[in-house]
Structure formats: C-alpha cells, structure tokens
Amino acid sequence: MGRYFARRFLLSLPVLVGVTVVTFSLMYLIPGDPAVLLAGPTANLDEITALRSRLGLDRPPVFRYLDYMARLVRFDFGTSLRTKEPVAFEIKARLPNTLLLASIAITLAALFGVAMGILAASRHLSSVDSLTMVFSLLGVSMPGFWLGLLLILVFAEYLQWFPVAGRGDWRFLVLPSITLAARALGEIARMSRADMLEILHEDFIRTAHAKGLGERKILVKHALRNAAIPTVTVVGLRFGTLLSGAVLTETIFAWPGVGRLMVDAISVRDFPVIQGTILVTAVVFILINLLVDLAYAWLDPRIRYQ
Amino acid sequence: MQMKISVLLAVVTLLSLATPGSPAPVASKILRVATATEPIDLDPQDFSESTAQSIISLVHNKLFVLDRQLNPVPELAESYKSSPDRLTWTFKLKRGIKFHDGTPLTAQAVKAIVDKTVGDKPPIRASFVGRPDLESARLVDDYTVEIKTKNPLGAFQRMLAGPAWAINSPAAYERYKERATKNPVGTGPYRFVQWSPGELIELEKNPDYWGPPVHYDRIVFQFVREPATRVALLTTGQVDLITNVPPTDMPRLSRMANLTVSTIDLNRNIFIAINAQRPYLSDKRVRQAMNLAVDKQAIIKGVLQGLGIEATSPIPRLTWGHAGVGQYAYDVAKARQMLAEAGVPRGHRVKFWVPQGRYFQDKAIGEAVNNYLKELGLDMDFQVMEYGTYIASIRKVRAEAQHDLYLLGWAATNLDADLALTSVFHSSEWPLRGSNRGFYANPRVDQLIDQGRRTVNPELRRRVYAEAQRLIWEDAPWIFLHEMKDVVAYRRQIAGVFVWPHETLDLTQARE
C-alpha cells in the first residue's frame, strides 16, 4: 500500500510543474494589459507606464517565469497586482470558506446520493425508483444560480427559516450547501443506482439470496462495496469541481470563496492571483485524486498489485 | 463506505473548527450596507471604485467639501488665499484635529498629497488630484501650506473637494508602508476597523471627532454582487441599506411599507464614441445622422426602465459648467437623407464594440443602438466583449485602432467641466495618453478647453465651456445617449441618507 501511494504521489509532481507552465503561458495568450485595467479608464499614458514598471510587467516573460518558480518553492505566490496583498494572504482568507462549503456539500451529496441510488435500485421500476430518478434529474439539470435564488426566495424571504446570504453560524451554511450539493447529488444518485442494478444481477448476489441472507445485508455488504468504485470516482471528481467551480453559488450567497477570487482576478488580468488560485486548486485536485486512488485500493485490493 | 463517510464528517468538523466566520459583535447602533462592489484599495489617491469613495468619505476629511448645492466650501481649511497671479495658494488648517492614530493633523499631510502626485510614480488618481497642473507644495509652518500651480486653475477649490483629495495620516503611511492602502487613517467621523476580503469592511465611530456628531456606532459595508441577493437581504432585514437596486425590483420594494426607495441622478454620461479617423465617419454629417437615427427616449424607457435622462450636452447636468446645448430628436428619414448627402454607400460596414457588465444594461443599450444603426442602412459588425478585453482593444494608438464605434461611460468625480471635457475631447488626449479614443480633434475646442481650465472668473468660465459644448455637440464625436440614474433602498426608519452625483454614498448624517 505504501509503495503504491508513493508511486502515485511522485507521478503527480510533473503534473504540478505542468500546471505552472500552462498557467504562466496562458497569460500571454489572453488579450488585455493589467496596467491599463488597474489604472482605470481615466488614466493617461504617464500613469500607466509608471504602473507597468511598478508591477514589473516590462520584464521578459522567461525571467518572470523563473522568478515565479524560485519564489514558489519558498511558498511565495507573489503579490496581487490588483489589491497589492500577498497572493497567499488572499487565498488563505478564502480557502477555508471554500473548503467548508465544498465539504458539507459533497458529504450531503454522497450520503443522500448513495442512499437514493440504493433505494431506487432495490425497488427497480417501482414508483419510488421513478421519483428518485426524477428528483436526481432535476438536481443535475437545474442551473445552480436558479436553484440558489429559488431557495433564497422560499426559505429566506418567504419562510424566513434561514438567512439570505453572508457568513455566521450554521444556519448561514444551509442554503449555499444545498445549492452546491444538488448537481453532485443527482449525479451520484444516478451513478450508484446504475452500478447497484448491474451488481444486483450478478451471480454472487443470487448466491447470497440462495443462502438466505437478509435483503439489507445483501445490499450493503455485498452489493454496495462492489458498486462503490465508480461512485467514489464521481465523488472525488465532483469534490474537485465544487472547490473550483463554486463561483455562482459564492456570488449568490455573498460567500467569500476562492472561486469568486479567481474570476475577479481573471477579469482584471491579475496574473499572480490567477496563477495562485489555479495552482492551489490543482494541488487540491491532485490530493483528492490521490485519496480516490487510495480508496480504490482499499475497496478492491486487486488494484494495489497492478 | 461507512468509513469513508465518517472520514469526510471528521474533515468537515475539523474545517468548521478552523473557520473564523465571526460576525461583528452587536453594537448598540449599527448600520449594515450591502454594496455591489468591493473596494480594491482605500488610499484616497489610489482607489478606483465607488464603494471605496463612500468609505473614504466617512473615514477622511478634505481641505474643501461640496455643499448639497454642489459648491465647494472649506472643511479642514481654516482660511485660504491666492496670490495676485493666481499661481500660489496658501491654506491654513484648522488646529487641534487628530488623525485616528492619534497624530495631529498638520500641513505635512497636505504637502504629502502633492508630493506623491507630482512624483515619479504617480498614484492612480493623480489626474484627479491635479497632476497636470500642480507644481509643488511648501510648508510655511505646522498649520500652513503653500501650493503652487503651473497655471491659474478655475476649478481649484472644486478639485480640492474631490474624493482624491482626502487627507490620510502621514504617520500611517510610514507605519503601514505598502499596506497603507488597506489601512486608511483619516480625521473623519468613522475609523477603519477591519477588512475581510471578499466579504465586508467595518467602520466604527471616531469618539474624538472634531465635526458634527454621527448617529451610528458602527457601519458595516458588505459586498454582495448579485442584485437579487441584495434585495432579499434588505427585505428580510439582514441589512439596512442596499445600493444599485435592480429596476425590475423597484415597484415591489416601493410597495413595501417599511422601505424607502430613492432614485438618484448621477454625474455619468453613457455614450457611443465614433472613430473620427475612419472613412465617412470623419464627416460630421454622418456622425450627426447617427445621432438622429437613435431613439434615446425609447432606450431610456425600454432598456433602462426609466433610469436615465436624455443627454443635452457632452457633459452631464450635474457637472459644473454644464449648458444644455441641444437635442438630436429621433428622425430616421432625415438621418438617411444626411447619410446619402455625405455619399455613404448603402451597407457601409461599421464595427461597433460594447463591454458587458460594466455599466447598467451596457450590452442591451449596445444592441438597441446597433439595431437603430442597421435601420439607418449601415452594415453593423457588432461585438460584445468582457471588459478587460474591451478596454485593451479600444485603447490603441490611431494607426492600430480597429474600432469604428464603442460604448463607454464618463464621469468627472470633481463635478467640474474641465475633467469632464479634457480627457475625452482634447486632441492632446488621444491614446495612449488620454481617453479621446475616437480621435476627435477641433482646434477651437482645444483652445476653449485650455482657456476654461485657466479662467478663474466663474461667469467667464461658464461662457467658455458653453461654447465648447455647443461646438462639440455640433461636431457629434459621440452618439450622445443619456445620463445615468441609480437607485438605493433602505429601511424607512433611516433618515439623512444622501448620494452624491459622483456615486458616493454619504452616511455622515444618517440616523434613525
């Protein structure tokens, strides 16, 4: 298991370097000069030239990349062109918020998604099955911003059960996590239902029935573990997307997260912040992939020896 | 699977322990404001966005302020005088005033603004401070400063009353260094407490304030970009005041007994600039025809839901020096005829660029104008761009400029005709230097703008600007559209909320 993990870990290092190269070169392909954007539409040439040299934008790209890497190995992500704060500070102020929301959302999605999947599969073609599948289809296809606004309207404005937006106690987490979880929940439900259905037709399940095992034991002990691998993949992938793709949810619920930071940075060409947020997201993604790989190995010991 | 879930739960628990998420402790009187934008900086000379302007106006004072009739009156200046040649101004400061960091307000703080502005690395707002005209500043004594200008300045007091002239503590610049823009220290009625990035800025009452007392103990600005969320925050009482109310929600909010909805006239023009260096567009008749072909009233009614006023001059009504000089009443037949007289072939191709999400309904306005110009018989090449790409694309020197038409807004934050005209109409302000990106040039207009800037007598100055406005209107370097309006809404119990035409929320007199 240890060797397996080490190999997986080492394999992800080149991916990281690749990310830095890609994000850095990307900056030269996007139109837009950050000095012009930061100075605002009223600035004149003197002001913009001064700003450009102040930001170091007049140096050749290769040097700027090498500088960037040299600082990166010391965990220095540079300084935001826009706010002039260290990028690490900007990310640190928001990453816990994003992780919190994403973790709750993925937990909700995994718990209810798998439960719904099992339920639907065990009552195949019944009304329970159709109902769960309609529900999960809604989750997958309903745009996040629309669901969010709907939840605000019903549960915050009309029923006044939860606050509209912002941060505070646990009640502030309810609506944004549901909004964020909906899509993943739908996907996980559909995925686990499909996998369960396939497994439930396997010979060993029939054998288990023949042995006289109880329905619940068969579902949970025999079927679920075998159906779990694709589901774990979806959970892992979705968690990664939740971390980077929560922009709309963050915007609607005024939630200070990394997604918003990244999009704002892109709109003003704040290169260091774009690089920093992409890098951090990539690292988290890679870590999640590692965890998913480990989960595979734990669920199916054959994988370790391949 | 069960184990996996319990691991996840553990992670969640740990994370929730690690997250601060602490709202401000409840004070006796607190005003919560939700704004659409978050400041980038809070350095008075280095900011570029209107929420910053609102916060700076609470934290800082200036030598002059505008009264509610928009005339400059002394604030921190005890007295002032100018030399006979109008090139040297001497200001005496009020004594016994302290910055929030405890250091006394002295003339050094005023000199620092001039030094910073005329230096090698000018701040972003340098032109609003008056960089082109400022020469130097000299300390006469601790409370007296002398400012020299390169030429007489008609709008000097008005400039000193602009948001960019807010006075920050020199000691704070020393202390916070490059983080000074995140830690504003002024002499104003509120002092800065904390800034949670992406979330909120909190201010508290300055107990030693030298001016009239303020009502609220704390003011919290929350940044909520989504308009529907701002509205819901207000209707549920989670915040007390919101800015940029979407017009679609106005009727509903107006009907609510516990809310006040208020519409404000802004000092911002929305226009479509015409590249006067392109074939046919260099002909004044063609540009006038474009003005006639656009039904401004229909756009205001249909696209802006009434939140606009048709422009009658190149500069907005609330800018000092404005003169209503004309109207291009919608007349497509006449416009077609003028186009034909100018020899524009039918189906002449025109490139029209529009930003998205920068100004209220910018894209929709662009689409409407585009259709009117199609009706005029032009073959329109219409492109909507994200603002970053957009501003880079229109900010090109003449030889590289690709645009025929582009949509933009313009506002002079000192509410003076000089700032409203110079950067957009003076021929010395072609890119990359300035913002005259339609490459408009009229030597007489240049002359008048220069003269207006240097004229001190207000009546004479008004006349000079009136003539400039008439000429520009006649030349039609823009399709003149409208002046913007904004809407704020707040709990009915709150009184004394004021919004300046330069989009600054003034809460100094807000009370319940």
Side-chain angles (χ1 to χ4, degrees), chain B residues 132-144:
Chain B
D133 305 296
L134 290 177
E135 177 80 49
S136 63
R138 188 176 73 85
L139 297 177
V140 178
D141 61 47
D142 274 358
Y143 295 95
T144 314

Side-chain angles (χ1 to χ4, degrees), chain B residues 401-432:
Chain B
Q402 296 291 310
H403 55 271
D404 293 319
L405 306 177
Y406 66 89
L407 183 148
L408 209 67
W410 194 257
T413 56
N414 64 359
L415 304 174
D416 188 88
D418 173 37
L419 204 53
L421 292 173
T422 307
S423 259
V424 278
F425 295 117
H426 200 289
S427 67
S428 68
E429 297 283 331
W430 286 9
L432 300 169

Side-chain angles (χ1 to χ4, degrees), chain B residues 148-288:
Chain B
K148 277 192 191 308
T149 61
K150 291 175 187 157
N151 41 268
L153 273 180
F156 198 40
Q157 286 101 313
R158 202 168 285 280
M159 195 169 81
L160 296 176
W165 262 93
I167 298 169
N168 200 65
S169 158
Y173 282 123
E174 281 294 305
R175 177 162 159 222
Y176 295 113
K177 299 272 189 301
E178 64 272 20
R179 290 194 46 84
T181 61
K182 308 290 174 219
N183 293 279
V185 178
T187 53
Y190 287 90
R191 62 185 180 201
F192 172 81
V193 179
Q194 65 147 337
W195 185 343
S196 169
E199 186 177 19
L200 56 83
I201 287 178
E202 189 181 341
L203 310 176
E204 70 179 5
K205 193 189 249 179
N206 168 14
D208 305 320
Y209 186 51
W210 61 276
V214 289
H215 177 82
Y216 291 100
D217 298 313
R218 272 166 200 277
I219 300 183
V220 179
F221 287 85
Q222 261 178 280
F223 316 122
V224 183
R225 180 184 296 232
E226 171 58 39
T229 309
R230 284 200 302 280
V231 170
L233 284 169
L234 179 70
T235 58
T236 57
Q238 225 182 306
V239 303
D240 306 302
L241 186 155
I242 60 172
T243 65
N244 301 94
V245 176
T248 41
D249 282 302
M250 275 177 67
R252 179 164 75 100
L253 295 181
S254 305
R255 277 197 303 274
M256 294 178 77
N258 58 342
L259 295 179
T260 303
V261 180
S262 143
T263 305
I264 298 117
D265 292 347
L266 298 181
N267 172 47
R268 186 182 291 278
N269 257 343
I270 298 294
F271 58 86
I272 287 154
I274 305 168
N275 185 342
Q277 303 295 325
R278 307 288 274 188
Y280 301 112
L281 303 183
S282 54
D283 187 332
K284 174 160 94 176
R285 289 172 298 176
V286 176
R287 300 196 299 261
Q288 287 170 340

Side-chain angles (χ1 to χ4, degrees), chain A residues 23-45:
Chain A
T23 54
F24 196 83
S25 354
L26 210 61
M27 298 306 143
Y28 293 89
L29 304 175
I30 305 175
D33 179 338
V36 174
L37 290 165
L38 289 168
T42 54
N44 65 28
L45 182 58

Side-chain angles (χ1 to χ4, degrees), chain A residues 9-19:
Chain A
F9 180 75
L10 286 176
L11 275 174
S12 48
L13 288 179
V15 178
L16 255 185
V17 176
V19 170

Side-chain angles (χ1 to χ4, degrees), chain A residues 224-240:
Chain A
L224 184 59
R225 183 156 179 160
N226 281 289
I229 288 200
T231 309
V232 167
T233 313
V234 176
V235 171
L237 279 176
R238 269 288 141 209
F239 190 42

